[in-house]
Amino acid sequence: MRTVGVIGLGLIGGSLALDLRRRGFASRTLGVEKDSVAAQAALTIGLVDEVTDLDTCVKKADIIVLAVPVGAAVKLVTQILDRIGDNQIVIDVCSTKEQICRATQYHPRRGQFVSTHPMAGTEYSGPWAAQPGLFDGRACIFCDSEESDPQAVRKIEEMYAVLNMRPLYMRAAQHDVHTAYVSHISHVTSFALALTVLDKEKDEKHIFDLASGGFSSTVRLAKSNADMWVPILTQNHDNVLHVMDTYIEKMKAFRDAVATYDEDKIRELITEANKIKKILR
Amino acid sequence: MRTVGVIGLGLIGGSLALDLRRRGFASRTLGVEKDSVAAQAALTIGLVDEVTDLDTCVKKADIIVLAVPVGAAVKLVTQILDRIGDNQIVIDVCSTKEQICRATQYHPRRGQFVSTHPMAGTEYSGPWAAQPGLFDGRACIFCDSEESDPQAVRKIEEMYAVLNMRPLYMRAAQHDVHTAYVSHISHVTSFALALTVLDKEKDEKHIFDLASGGFSSTVRLAKSNADMWVPILTQNHDNVLHVMDTYIEKMKAFRDAVATYDEDKIRELITEANKIKKILR
């Protein structure tokens, strides 16, 4: 008998609750969701067994999962840690880790907090976007796990094993640098691409007609939700800014090569970029 | 009995030859491929019935398809038109159209040339990348088709109907503006993204581990081939440059909003970018 309480029934929280219950890790799931439409939808879809208020969830759940945008999570985490008993565990699943780890650093119940980032998702949000199997085969990063009690970490490792995730371990600061490169900048480049095309291409029919798979794939992250991404970009400010500046430099190098019809330089840049093939299938 | 000759047995030429033969539009397919390894592979895979030299292909094929990079195509097209008889048709399948249409403009056999752009593809290249069904359900753009003989256009429309493509008609110049927005800039943003990540993230293991679906999807076009993309970017120089400049502006607006922690501005930009949802599923 184990109750998992999920705070925030969006794509990640909803998918997690769904699979933990279906796969038997949780015997009961509670959900907390401040948006009443989303809460009702989560119940109707069957993402959780019960929607409760925060107090009830914090009281009843053996494992409490914080799955709200990272700005809200940083504020909530210590309030929740203040109220749990000795056998409860709190985890977060946020996309930036330095601030939430710093916020909990000196909390007397720090050992009962496990900071994780399951690297899975889609460009959609809300309980409607939740899906079974979302996490299967993906990586899950445990941050600063040496600050957590070993038995708490073990329990959460077990939980992610049920979701078929590969565990990785790193410092929160290191996590935030890496994700700036392999996730945050991708979103920003997609947002900028959407803005560029929307700005110039007033004839929407043509965007749709001419868009082949390539455009759809580079622009799809531009559908991502502002509630989630505003706090990610501001919390991971320094890293994101650094990567954006590098990106703008690369873009300008490309632009200048095109501007001057410098075919050798364009070829060199493309050939260099092609090396991504060796890393990503 | 109809022979289709394809010059350039890469992703597009190979896939086209394959389906035209399988679906009965061509009773025989000839291929021309200057790279001998690719030529042998195309035969082994069974993309065409026979690999021939250019002369034989131009002599024997009822429909000659130019499927080489656009720089080479612009040079070849008039040489081929010089040598065809009254009942032959030449088409190209290149990604930029203004220069090839301009090169053929005053040719006595202009009527027998149909300039098309089947909007399909993947980030892979070569005969190995060819696949059945590549074109199904995609759009095919006919450029300056009023300069072609109506019966030649009709024949090529029939051909693309067999490939299940939706025909669209526009001026070559208009095509090049639109594709700069919905295809060419996507490739450049992907190349720049790959360059950014490769430049900074020396620890390749981590790129691979942390890359969730979002990164893979935004960066996948960076695998695209330089032989194809150098001429596209230089031939569509003015449009591409214009779009790149707009893109860099948008990126800088984003960068400045992040730099100043301007959450309202970041939210505004993301919400504006989200409008792409209405256009692309």
Side-chain angles (χ1 to χ4, degrees), chain B residues 176-189:
Chain B
D176 283 6
V177 172
H178 287 306
T179 51
Y181 281 100
V182 297
S183 166
H184 306 169
I185 187 68
S186 296
H187 285 78
V188 177
T189 61

Side-chain angles (χ1 to χ4, degrees), chain A residues 190-210:
Chain A
S190 262
F191 291 135
L193 181 59
L195 290 169
T196 303
V197 175
L198 289 166
D199 195 38
K200 293 289 175 178
E201 186 86 357
K202 299 300 179 197
D203 184 353
E204 299 187 356
K205 178 80 170 57
H206 275 135
I207 295 187
F208 183 80
D209 274 338
L210 302 191

Side-chain angles (χ1 to χ4, degrees), chain B residues 9 14 35 51 59 79 128 150 181 200 202 239 256 268:
Chain B
L9 294 173
D35 179 308
V51 169
K59 204 169 294 171
Q79 296 171 27
W128 312 273
Y181 281 100
K200 293 289 173 180
K202 300 299 180 198
N239 293 316
D256 292 345
E268 183 193 315

Side-chain angles (χ1 to χ4, degrees), chain A residues 38 44 49 55 130 144 174 192 216 224 227 238 270:
Chain A
T44 307
D49 294 317
D55 280 344
D144 293 357
Q174 186 191 1
S216 309
S224 302
D227 289 338
D238 295 359
I270 293 179

Side-chain angles (χ1 to χ4, degrees), chain A residues 119-121 124-125 138-139 141 166 168 170 174-175 177-179 181-183 185-201 203-227 229-231 233-234 237-238 240-248 250-252 254-256 258-263 266-267 269-281, chain B residues 119-121 124-125 138-139 141 166 168 170 174-175 177-179 181-183 185-201 203-227 229-231 233-235 237-238 240-248 250-252 254-256 258-263 266-267 269-281:
Chain A
M119 300 284 293
Y124 302 105
S125 51
R138 301 293 191 169
I141 305 171
R166 286 177 294 118
L168 289 168
M170 58 180 78
Q174 186 191 1
H175 166 279
V177 172
H178 287 306
T179 51
Y181 279 101
V182 297
S183 166
I185 187 69
S186 295
H187 284 79
V188 177
T189 62
S190 262
F191 291 135
L193 181 59
L195 290 169
T196 303
V197 175
L198 289 166
D199 195 38
K200 293 289 175 178
E201 186 86 357
D203 184 353
E204 299 187 356
K205 178 80 170 57
H206 275 135
I207 295 187
F208 183 80
D209 274 338
L210 302 191
S212 56
F215 178 67
S216 309
S217 117
T218 42
V219 87
R220 79 174 174 83
L221 298 181
K223 300 174 188 173
S224 302
N225 186 262
D227 289 338
W229 282 92
V230 172
L233 298 177
T234 49
H237 175 271
D238 295 359
V240 167
L241 203 62
H242 182 71
V243 184
M244 285 176 86
D245 283 338
T246 306
Y247 184 85
I248 291 171
K250 299 290 177 190
M251 200 68 193
K252 277 190 185 154
F254 225 104
R255 185 241 174 247
D256 292 344
V258 171
T260 55
Y261 294 92
D262 187 345
E263 300 200 355
I266 302 175
R267 177 172 300 276
L269 290 167
I270 293 179
T271 307
E272 178 65 28
N274 285 168
K275 289 187 184 155
I276 202 77
K277 274 191 232 183
K278 291 187 195 158
I279 300 170
L280 285 179
R281 280 152 310 177
Chain B
M119 300 283 294
Y124 301 105
S125 51
R138 301 293 189 169
I141 305 172
R166 288 176 294 115
L168 290 169
M170 59 180 77
Q174 187 190 1
H175 166 279
V177 172
H178 287 306
T179 51
Y181 281 100
V182 297
S183 166
I185 187 68
S186 296
H187 285 78
V188 177
T189 61
S190 263
F191 290 135
L193 180 60
L195 290 169
T196 303
V197 176
L198 289 166
D199 196 37
K200 293 289 173 180
E201 185 88 355
D203 184 353
E204 299 189 355
K205 179 78 170 56
H206 275 135
I207 295 187
F208 183 80
D209 272 339
L210 302 191
S212 56
F215 178 67
S216 310
S217 119
T218 42
V219 87
R220 79 174 173 84
L221 298 181
K223 300 174 187 172
S224 301
N225 186 262
D227 288 338
W229 281 93
V230 172
L233 299 177
T234 50
Q235 289 217 0
H237 176 270
D238 294 0
V240 168
L241 202 61
H242 182 72
V243 183
M244 286 176 85
D245 283 338
T246 306
Y247 183 85
I248 291 170
K250 300 290 176 190
M251 200 68 194
K252 278 190 186 154
F254 225 103
R255 185 240 173 247
D256 292 345
V258 171
T260 56
Y261 293 93
D262 186 346
E263 300 200 355
I266 303 175
R267 178 172 297 277
L269 290 167
I270 293 180
T271 307
E272 179 63 28
N274 284 168
K275 290 187 183 157
I276 202 76
K277 274 192 230 183
K278 293 186 194 160
I279 299 170
L280 286 179
R281 281 153 309 180

Side-chain angles (χ1 to χ4, degrees), chain A residues 11-12 16 93-97 116-122 133-143 160 163-168 170 175-176 178-184 187 228-229, chain B residues 206-216:
Chain A
L11 165 66
I12 297 297
L16 192 119
V93 295
C94 297
S95 302
T96 63
K97 309 264 61 147
T116 68
H117 182 194
M119 300 284 293
T122 72
L134 182 71
F135 306 99
D136 286 335
R138 301 293 191 169
C140 180
I141 305 171
F142 287 69
C143 287
Y160 282 115
L163 299 176
N164 291 321
M165 300 200 86
R166 286 177 294 118
L168 289 168
M170 58 180 78
H175 166 279
D176 283 6
H178 287 306
T179 51
Y181 279 101
V182 297
S183 166
H184 306 169
H187 284 79
M228 174 168 175
W229 282 92
Chain B
H206 275 135
I207 295 187
F208 183 80
D209 272 339
L210 302 191
S212 56
F215 178 67
S216 310

